[in-house]
Amino acid sequence: FILLKLLIVRFQMIEIAIDGTAASGKGTLAKKLADKYGFVHLDTGLLYRKVANELLIQNKSDPKNVETFSCKIARNLELVNLNKEELRSEETASLASLIATSPKLRDILNFKQKEFLLKNKKKFSGCILDGRDIGTKILPNANFKFFIDASVEIRAKRRLLEKNISFLHENDEKCMLQALIKKMIDRDRLDSNRTTAPLSPANDAYVIDTSLISAEQLFEKVTKIIEGK
């Protein structure tokens, strides 16, 4: 860890930004790195999912007023209970991607993310944030930036495996896979084409395609970069 130790001595907090598409492996990578180095970690996409989930609970997802209600919820958002199962549902994910196009909402949640960093600066020697605009917007001066991607077919298969459905008929599985592929294509398009902080690699990010590598291989590749091996 020679390079990493030098950075820790030089900087108050090591910043690692991980961006990427859904089911590309960025979240798993971020957790593994946080465990290895003892850094604090925040999955920023869960903030948007938390807001979206609250909109669904309150039945306030009407497109006419969704931005107003989203911003109101976001202002009072506490960064707790971010790992609840309902935040992982497809309905929540789709709504989260939709409300994430709102510049006002992004400003509020960006502030929450930066507040999270300030709160943890004295507790941790490093931080890892993963999402869709970390290297370009939230941590533009991060020590390390990574952009993780994979083919949409591979990502859809991974998402299907996460659902752990073993009783599906082969035709039903194919239909579900095609539906997931379509949703991911739509979400990628929405994330990449929004006017505010679109999904794209930072100019100085390491872009890694995980279509043909495992989570462990990705982890090894990234740690070598961080440790200067």
Side-chain angles (χ1 to χ4, degrees):
F1 304 111
I2 295 175
L3 175 59
L4 191 62
K5 286 179 178 178
L6 285 172
L7 285 169
I8 289 174
V9 170
R10 185 179 173 187
F11 297 96
Q12 287 186 327
M13 177 183 262
I14 300 301
E15 296 179 349
I16 299 177
I18 303 177
D19 291 301
T21 50
S24 60
K26 67 181 186 299
T28 299
L29 172 64
K31 290 173 187 174
K32 283 176 172 285
L33 291 174
D35 288 342
K36 179 178 177 64
Y37 299 122
F39 290 175
V40 65
H41 166 236
L42 178 64
D43 178 347
T44 64
L46 290 178
L47 305 186
Y48 293 91
R49 285 176 181 248
K50 179 97 170 176
V51 172
N53 184 246
E54 193 59 36
L55 285 170
L56 292 170
I57 290 173
Q58 297 181 20
N59 196 26
K60 292 180 177 178
S61 56
D62 181 350
K64 292 181 181 179
N65 301 307
V66 71
E67 184 179 59
T68 300
F69 287 123
S70 294
C71 291
K72 184 177 180 180
I73 291 168
R75 288 189 189 96
N76 299 308
L77 189 68
E78 296 291 336
L79 305 191
V80 294
N81 300 322
L82 293 178
N83 291 312
K84 286 188 174 182
E85 191 64 31
E86 57 263 33
L87 299 186
R88 303 288 180 181
S89 73
E90 292 298 326
E91 184 181 19
T92 300
S94 295
L95 182 56
S97 190
L98 181 64
I99 63 175
T101 60
S102 164
K104 291 180 181 178
L105 177 62
R106 297 197 74 84
D107 283 344
I108 295 168
L109 293 184
N110 286 354
F111 178 79
K112 292 282 184 180
Q113 292 168 51
K114 291 173 181 176
E115 191 176 53
F116 172 85
L117 292 175
L118 287 173
K119 192 177 292 185
N120 286 285
K121 265 195 172 182
K122 292 183 179 179
K123 299 178 184 178
F124 297 90
S125 58
C127 68
I128 301 172
L129 268 60
D130 72 272
R132 284 172 169 73
D133 63 348
I134 309 304
T136 54
K137 184 74 175 179
I138 307 302
L139 298 177
N141 299 312
N143 304 96
F144 299 98
K145 299 178 186 179
F146 300 96
F147 188 92
I148 313 301
D149 198 7
S151 71
V152 69
E153 291 81 11
I154 293 293
R155 292 189 286 125
K157 286 178 181 177
R158 289 173 183 167
R159 193 62 93 216
L160 191 60
L161 285 172
E162 285 176 7
K163 294 178 181 296
N164 196 27
I165 302 173
S166 57
F167 56 83
L168 283 177
H169 185 276
E170 185 179 352
N171 288 336
D172 292 333
E173 185 175 321
K174 286 181 179 178
C175 287
M176 184 174 282
L177 182 62
Q178 288 305 312
L180 280 172
I181 288 173
K182 184 181 182 304
K183 284 183 179 179
M184 283 189 168
I185 290 173
D186 290 344
R187 185 177 178 186
D188 289 347
R189 186 183 297 114
L190 193 61
D191 289 341
S192 300
N193 294 329
R194 63 178 177 237
T195 54
T196 303
L199 171 66
S200 63
N203 292 331
D204 53 348
Y206 291 92
V207 179
I208 304 174
D209 190 309
T210 65
S211 299
L212 301 177
I213 63 174
S214 66
E216 192 57 39
Q217 288 171 319
L218 172 63
F219 177 62
E220 290 176 7
K221 188 180 183 75
V222 168
T223 53
K224 284 181 179 178
I225 292 171
I226 292 172
E227 295 171 16
K229 293 181 181 178

